[in-house]
Amino acid sequence: MRSRHEVAVVGAGLVGCLTACYLARRGYEVTLYERRPDPREAAPERGRSINLAISERGIDALRRVGLDEVVMKAALPMPGRMMHAPDGTLSFQHYSADGLRSINSISRSDLNRTLLDAALAMPGVRACFEHRLTGLDVDSGRMDFETPDGPATASAPVVLAADGAYSAVRGRLQFLPGFGFSQEYLDYGYKELTIPARDGEYALDPGALHIWPRGQAMMIALPNPDRSFTCTLFWPKSGPGSFEALDTVERFEEFFAANYADAHALMPDLADDYAHNPIGHLVTMRTDPWQVRGARAVVGLLGDAAHAIVPFYGQGANCGFEDCVELDRCLEETGDDFPEALARYGSRRKEHADTIAELALTNFVEMRDKVASRSFLLRKRLEHGLERLLPGRYVSRYELVSFSTMPYAEVQRRITRQNVAVAAGALGALAAAVAVTARLARRR
Amino acid sequence: MRSRHEVAVVGAGLVGCLTACYLARRGYEVTLYERRPDPREAAPERGRSINLAISERGIDALRRVGLDEVVMKAALPMPGRMMHAPDGTLSFQHYSADGLRSINSISRSDLNRTLLDAALAMPGVRACFEHRLTGLDVDSGRMDFETPDGPATASAPVVLAADGAYSAVRGRLQFLPGFGFSQEYLDYGYKELTIPARDGEYALDPGALHIWPRGQAMMIALPNPDRSFTCTLFWPKSGPGSFEALDTVERFEEFFAANYADAHALMPDLADDYAHNPIGHLVTMRTDPWQVRGARAVVGLLGDAAHAIVPFYGQGANCGFEDCVELDRCLEETGDDFPEALARYGSRRKEHADTIAELALTNFVEMRDKVASRSFLLRKRLEHGLERLLPGRYVSRYELVSFSTMPYAEVQRRITRQNVAVAAGALGALAAAVAVTARLARRR
């Protein structure tokens, strides 16, 4: 075991806990500082889960520290998407051309507890709960906290922020000159609803991610191990059919029943969910750089603290877990020179995080609007046909994002090349067809 | 005099003071809260002025409240730009085709004092200095301040933030869901230097904005009434020829003397300026929306607090002053319904602020790199030729930005139309020439 200096990880969420596992394996002393109480002792916040869809990138990051099996035990595979038309007609599409690969539904709170247990079981890892960061001095690595027992301070030569989209650490860095940051909200909110088990069984097919595409709005549902589904309604904040317009339980339920009839029939708790679950917000956040070097300390950002994205590609946690892998790789490459490793990590990961942020925004339009159209279904069939015809040479964007670990920006470059090649092939085929037709015409 | 509710204006800088003038004229009680001491009693911060170039938009906004004459008395007209080549060769270009129009050099601190005097001379306006905003409740309009006498609070149904790029008010709004914000820094810093008067006279032509274009870097100089020039050096933060690389007074002066020889000869205080003036940062900030409505109060943003831009089009203050005009117009249109007026103001001004932000970034490249090229000089001559040929029908972007009050986004749309028309005209002329040549050739 190498003896190394201490690392403070602010935030004991998914990325913070996995970071602690990676660092403990390298011999670091890690302290996790978490604003909330110990999640293993407290109930999760209501309506704030958005089930996660763990896919290959996340699984790969877990596998490298031996956590894939324990995590995947609690996950439910979803090999495809099930579209619910307004009249209740269902249509199913596999996510992969071979129909064998799945994204995996898992509850955020269960996953968090598993990762926290794993981190705290590693030598040198400890956690301080109910520690809300109120101050940070980048030069000394000194952190101020508010705790139930009054103010507390701590310091570490390396401070890693894994404290999520509303990161308190990043809030401090934002005041430093040269620190670029943006936050962009969608004009949409979300609300969680529930489809409970019916006679002890799933009320819908549990082997799918369910989508109710409704043009300017949509609902999705992911299965839970207790045979319920967690649904998330994505509606405009204002205008017709919005949370603002449908502001009483009666108006809400009437509109919902008219537009999501098949789901409505499965939701006995709708009024209660509507009344008690908050309306969430959808934000994309970008930072540049992802690390700041002080005189005697260095601060780095991981996960949502560096790059919060909207949930529509199911990649938020997967992308955050990839951060842990890349940081570990950079530490290995630099002989654990933490400032250099963080600089390298940030400059490498930035373009990939920017790419998945864009893809996630684009996918919202696809999910709520295009998946319902015939041309979309046709395109997916064509894509899967090409994938089977040219195995390993033509692969759809969705498969590369969800079922590979190819960095996101490389996925985009590959898709561009593929599209050019397919267009050239199609043009060639067209030219050949024209030539043949012309020859046949001349023979007549 | 109409009796109206109170308005709190946070920030007694240029835009805050002008806002107070406009609101007092409408009969509002206005309190200015300013973090700094009274500028009429304190020395300005060293190296933080960047002389302003006031042009038509700013003058128009001042004229509407009768302040143009008193302000312009202290301003020095600059009818053109003077380029300094590395070998000391000078070339002058008029900003306008007729050579008669000028942008106007004025010191920020003088202008601030004039506007503060004007605001406090209006009925119902008062100022609280050394009031640093530390808290804001959007629902009640309650503000917390730190003052030399301890904490203070105040509240108003309308809170306007004119507290600049690092706005404390906006800092509070950023935590509200749905509030979009971005800050992007250039990889350039700036440092102020001085060319003092020589034998009581200007050492350079005072009738020009002086530019030393050096490709990846540049210096500019604006005249002051005391016959000195304030110079601003824009250099990369790191890399060759950067502030980071030239980090001792010896290295700095050697590099400066080699690249800005003619200016160097006029700068006896160079070493002192280098040592004592800070390196400033260049940031573009965008917010969306520009106003937030609480239960019993409304908060609006004006000037740099809403849209900080880089200084390369000389439009920062001009654009901020236009905000005051537009807010006044919206109050007039809505019968002083402040929440509605602010919403209207924000939705109208946003695209114009975004446009000038982009133009200012683009103009940096033009100033430091292109103004030195022959093709730039040729293009400017062509533009001015077209302007004289088609008076009022062809007007350059620079003239529309600096010598008109056409909203910035409309300027961009007009320039696009003009370019299309000119290209079509050129094509037509080419076609005619080809036709004539062909006819002549046939005659032979």
Side-chain angles (χ1 to χ4, degrees):
Chain A
M1 179 70 65
R2 289 162 289 184
S3 159
R4 295 233 171 79
H5 48 60
E6 202 193 316
V7 177
V9 175
V10 181
L14 304 182
V15 173
C17 291
L18 190 59
T19 301
C21 293
Y22 271 91
L23 293 178
R25 198 178 56 163
R26 302 191 70 79
Y28 289 96
E29 299 278 320
V30 180
T31 308
L32 286 157
Y33 296 97
E34 169 60 44
R35 180 169 65 84
R36 296 186 180 84
D38 189 335
R40 296 164 305 178
E41 292 160 16
E45 283 181 74
R46 179 165 184 157
R48 284 283 186 202
S49 74
I50 300 192
N51 288 41
L52 300 169
I54 285 284
S55 52
E56 180 52 26
R57 290 164 201 273
I59 298 168
D60 174 72
L62 294 166
R63 193 183 292 129
R64 289 163 185 265
V65 283
L67 290 172
D68 53 325
E69 281 186 24
V70 59
V71 165
M72 295 307 287
K73 241 187 279 174
L76 293 164
M78 302 180 290
R81 52 170 86 87
M82 182 78 82
M83 268 79 72
H84 295 240
D87 66 1
T89 310
L90 298 178
S91 43
F92 179 83
Q93 292 166 350
H94 278 112
Y95 282 125
S96 66
D98 60 13
L100 299 174
R101 306 197 200 199
S102 299
I103 59 175
N104 305 279
S105 174
I106 192 163
S107 109
R108 172 186 290 270
S109 51
D110 287 350
L111 178 56
N112 204 154
R113 279 190 288 264
T114 305
L115 293 180
L116 184 57
D117 279 337
L120 292 175
M122 306 272 294
V125 179
R126 66 189 189 109
C128 302
F129 295 100
E130 298 183 80
H131 272 58
R132 190 171 73 82
L133 187 117
T134 55
L136 171 69
D137 178 48
V138 173
D139 280 325
S140 63
R142 180 196 149 113
M143 297 161 282
D144 300 316
F145 297 100
E146 243 178 49
T147 81
D149 306 324
T153 65
S155 71
V158 177
V159 177
L160 299 180
D163 50 349
Y166 299 93
S167 169
V169 173
R170 195 199 54 228
R172 298 301 169 296
L173 302 185
Q174 269 166 247
F175 295 105
L176 301 179
F179 191 84
F181 171 70
S182 76
Q183 58 187 34
E184 279 173 72
Y185 285 84
L186 292 186
D187 296 331
Y188 280 78
Y190 72 84
K191 196 183 264 278
E192 278 198 15
L193 305 172
T194 313
I195 294 180
R198 212 166 43 164
D199 308 327
E201 280 309 315
Y202 285 107
L204 299 171
D205 180 351
L209 188 155
H210 293 261
I211 310 179
W212 288 258
R214 295 294 182 267
Q216 291 305 302
M218 72 168 183
M219 183 169 74
I220 63 169
L222 279 78
N224 297 313
D226 69 359
R227 321 234 146 172
S228 69
F229 280 84
T230 301
C231 307
T232 315
L233 201 53
F234 296 94
W235 277 6
K237 287 185 179 173
S238 57
S242 69
F243 285 117
E244 191 181 85
L246 305 164
D247 60 346
T248 66
V249 67
E250 293 76 22
R251 285 192 201 124
F252 176 85
E253 189 148 4
E254 189 192 354
F255 184 89
F256 189 83
N259 290 277
Y260 304 81
D262 62 340
H264 182 248
L266 306 172
M267 291 178 157
D269 307 327
L270 183 65
D272 187 59
D273 282 342
Y274 171 82
H276 294 103
N277 290 347
I279 295 172
H281 303 276
L282 298 161
V283 67
T284 303
M285 292 179 169
R286 297 179 183 87
T287 56
D288 184 23
W290 288 10
Q291 83 293 328
V292 173
R293 206 166 169 162
R296 296 181 305 284
V298 64
V299 180
L301 304 174
L302 292 111
D304 285 0
H307 50 76
I309 65 178
V310 294
F312 305 109
Y313 223 116
Q315 287 293 312
N318 291 289
C319 178
F321 285 178
E322 278 192 323
D323 288 350
C324 305
V325 176
E326 188 60 52
L327 178 57
D328 186 60
R329 188 178 292 137
C330 293
L331 285 167
E332 186 65 33
E333 287 176 14
T334 59
D336 288 274
D337 177 341
F338 231 114
E340 174 56 29
L342 277 171
R344 220 178 259 205
Y345 146 83
S347 70
R348 281 189 200 162
R349 286 294 294 161
K350 171 83 180 140
E351 71 161 334
H352 304 308
D354 286 345
T355 301
I356 193 62
E358 283 307 311
L359 288 177
L361 288 166
T362 311
N363 222 40
F364 184 30
V365 183
E366 179 161 315
M367 287 179 84
R368 69 175 201 246
D369 206 0
K370 298 196 186 143
V371 291
S373 75
R374 282 184 186 214
S375 67
F376 177 83
L377 294 173
L378 191 67
R379 184 159 66 81
K380 284 285 156 192
R381 232 173 278 152
L382 189 71
E383 264 182 18
H384 284 176
L386 280 167
E387 287 184 85
R388 282 188 292 263
L389 204 65
L390 306 164
R393 290 172 57 205
Y394 185 94
V395 186
S396 73
R397 181 191 283 125
Y398 192 91
E399 293 213 26
L400 290 172
V401 167
S402 301
F403 306 133
S404 88
T405 56
M406 178 185 287
Y408 297 116
E410 281 178 38
V411 169
Q412 278 299 77
R413 289 191 281 269
R414 164 152 180 176
I415 292 298
T416 305
R417 285 198 306 274
Q418 260 183 201
N419 287 347
V420 168
V422 168
L427 267 178
L430 188 71
V434 168
V436 168
T437 312
R439 204 170 295 170
L440 289 174
R442 245 180 279 143
R443 279 198 202 160
R444 275 188 214 157
Chain B
M1 178 73 65
R2 289 164 289 184
S3 158
R4 293 232 170 81
H5 49 59
E6 201 191 317
V7 177
V9 175
V10 181
L14 304 182
V15 172
C17 291
L18 190 60
T19 300
C21 293
Y22 271 90
L23 292 178
R25 196 178 57 163
R26 300 192 71 79
Y28 289 95
E29 300 277 322
V30 180
T31 308
L32 286 158
Y33 295 97
E34 169 59 45
R35 180 169 65 84
R36 297 187 180 84
D38 189 333
R40 296 165 304 179
E41 292 161 17
E45 284 180 74
R46 180 165 183 155
R48 283 283 186 202
S49 73
I50 302 193
N51 288 40
L52 300 170
I54 284 285
S55 51
E56 180 52 26
R57 290 163 202 273
I59 298 168
D60 174 73
L62 294 165
R63 194 183 291 129
R64 289 165 184 263
V65 284
L67 289 172
D68 53 326
E69 281 185 26
V70 58
V71 165
M72 296 307 287
K73 242 187 280 174
L76 293 165
M78 302 179 290
R81 52 170 86 86
M82 181 79 83
M83 267 79 70
H84 295 242
D87 66 1
T89 308
L90 297 178
S91 43
F92 179 84
Q93 292 167 351
H94 279 113
Y95 282 126
S96 67
D98 61 14
L100 298 175
R101 307 197 197 197
S102 299
I103 60 175
N104 304 279
S105 174
I106 191 163
S107 108
R108 172 186 290 271
S109 51
D110 287 350
L111 178 57
N112 204 152
R113 279 189 289 262
T114 306
L115 293 179
L116 184 57
D117 279 336
L120 292 176
M122 305 273 293
V125 179
R126 65 189 190 107
C128 302
F129 295 101
E130 299 184 79
H131 273 59
R132 191 172 73 81
L133 187 116
T134 55
L136 171 69
D137 178 47
V138 173
D139 280 325
S140 63
R142 179 196 150 113
M143 297 160 283
D144 301 315
F145 297 99
E146 242 177 48
T147 81
D149 306 325
T153 64
S155 71
V158 177
V159 177
L160 299 180
D163 50 349
Y166 299 93
S167 168
V169 172
R170 194 199 54 227
R172 297 300 167 298
L173 302 185
Q174 270 168 245
F175 295 106
L176 301 179
F179 190 83
F181 171 70
S182 76
Q183 58 187 35
E184 278 174 72
Y185 285 83
L186 291 186
D187 296 331
Y188 281 78
Y190 72 84
K191 195 184 266 278
E192 277 198 15
L193 305 171
T194 315
I195 294 180
R198 216 168 38 165
D199 307 326
E201 280 309 315
Y202 285 107
L204 298 170
D205 179 353
L209 188 156
H210 293 262
I211 310 180
W212 288 257
R214 294 294 181 266
Q216 292 305 300
M218 73 167 182
M219 183 169 75
I220 63 170
L222 280 78
N224 298 312
D226 69 0
R227 318 232 149 175
S228 68
F229 280 83
T230 301
C231 306
T232 314
L233 200 54
F234 297 95
W235 277 6
K237 287 185 178 173
S238 57
S242 68
F243 285 116
E244 191 181 83
L246 304 165
D247 60 346
T248 66
V249 68
E250 293 75 25
R251 284 191 202 127
F252 175 85
E253 188 148 6
E254 188 192 356
F255 184 89
F256 189 82
N259 291 276
Y260 305 80
D262 61 341
H264 182 249
L266 307 172
M267 291 177 156
D269 307 327
L270 183 66
D272 189 59
D273 282 345
Y274 171 83
H276 294 104
N277 290 346
I279 295 171
H281 303 277
L282 298 161
V283 67
T284 302
M285 291 179 170
R286 298 179 181 86
T287 56
D288 183 25
W290 287 10
Q291 83 293 330
V292 173
R293 205 166 170 160
R296 295 181 306 285
V298 65
V299 179
L301 303 174
L302 292 110
D304 285 0
H307 50 77
I309 65 178
V310 294
F312 305 108
Y313 223 116
Q315 287 292 313
N318 291 290
C319 179
F321 286 178
E322 278 193 321
D323 288 350
C324 305
V325 176
E326 187 62 50
L327 178 57
D328 186 60
R329 187 177 292 135
C330 293
L331 286 167
E332 185 65 32
E333 287 176 14
T334 60
D336 287 275
D337 177 340
F338 231 114
E340 174 57 27
L342 276 172
R344 221 180 259 204
Y345 147 83
S347 70
R348 281 190 201 162
R349 286 294 292 160
K350 171 82 181 142
E351 70 161 334
H352 304 307
D354 285 344
T355 300
I356 193 63
E358 283 308 311
L359 288 178
L361 287 166
T362 311
N363 221 41
F364 184 30
V365 183
E366 179 161 314
M367 288 180 84
R368 68 175 203 247
D369 206 358
K370 298 197 186 140
V371 291
S373 74
R374 283 180 184 217
S375 68
F376 178 82
L377 294 172
L378 192 69
R379 183 158 67 79
K380 285 284 155 192
R381 232 172 279 151
L382 188 73
E383 265 183 18
H384 284 175
L386 280 168
E387 287 184 84
R388 282 188 292 264
L389 203 67
L390 305 163
R393 290 173 55 205
Y394 185 93
V395 187
S396 75
R397 182 190 283 126
Y398 192 92
E399 293 212 27
L400 290 172
V401 168
S402 301
F403 306 132
S404 88
T405 56
M406 179 184 288
Y408 297 116
E410 281 177 39
V411 169
Q412 277 299 77
R413 289 190 281 270
R414 166 152 178 177
I415 292 298
T416 304
R417 284 197 306 273
Q418 261 183 199
N419 287 347
V420 168
V422 168
L427 267 178
L430 188 71
V434 167
V436 169
T437 313
R439 204 170 293 169
L440 289 175
R442 243 178 281 143
R443 279 197 201 157
R444 276 190 213 155

